[in-house]
Amino acid sequence: MRELPATTAIEPCASCKRPLALVRMASRRRAYRLHNVLDLIGTLHGIATIILVLAFALTGMEALTFAKAITILLFVIASILLTDGVLSLKTGIDKTWDIIRRGPRARIHGLAKVGCGVAGFGLTMIGLAL
């Protein structure tokens, strides 16, 4: 049996190649949970988006500043989608939320993610030109 990696290590899954990390559970001192790093980044992206929208609504943030910040967040989500899509195409395994697909359906979802990631990068370029 393999040893568990250090809590700071990020290693790829043996079957789907997605980056995995051990994260200490807040409720238990010695308990760890294995997380997909792409999902963790997506969760942080969602929290950052909510905070940004609230900051725009409740403060005097200028529209251009808001648009630039959204551009940065769009770059992050486009990177996640593109990475996840390429891994789905390469391995034939797709994980979206808690649904795992294999084979041709996984590759179709991977292709859709790649397309959305490329579109996100295109919108990022437009946002940077503002």
Side-chain angles (χ1 to χ4, degrees), residues 48-89:
T49 302
I50 291 170
I51 291 170
L52 180 64
V53 170
L54 287 174
F56 180 68
L58 300 176
T59 65
M61 183 186 294
E62 293 182 19
L64 184 60
T65 305
F66 179 71
K68 293 288 185 178
I70 288 291
T71 299
I72 293 168
L73 291 174
L74 185 60
F75 175 78
V76 171
I77 199 67
S79 299
I80 292 171
L81 285 171
L82 195 59
T83 303
D84 199 22
V86 167
L87 288 172
S88 294
L89 289 172

Side-chain angles (χ1 to χ4, degrees), residues 11-82:
E11 297 196 15
C13 174
S15 60
C16 70
K17 305 297 183 210
R18 281 163 181 74
L20 301 174
L22 280 177
V23 178
R24 179 176 282 161
M25 294 178 67
S27 61
R28 299 182 187 158
R29 280 172 102 157
R30 296 184 188 178
Y32 293 89
R33 186 162 181 207
L34 195 60
H35 282 283
N36 180 348
V37 174
L38 298 176
D39 290 344
L40 291 175
I41 295 171
T43 301
L44 293 174
H45 173 270
I47 292 168
T49 302
I50 291 170
I51 291 170
L52 180 64
V53 170
L54 287 174
F56 180 68
L58 300 176
T59 65
M61 183 186 294
E62 293 182 19
L64 184 60
T65 305
F66 179 71
K68 293 288 185 178
I70 288 291
T71 299
I72 293 168
L73 291 174
L74 185 60
F75 175 78
V76 171
I77 199 67
S79 299
I80 292 171
L81 285 171
L82 195 59

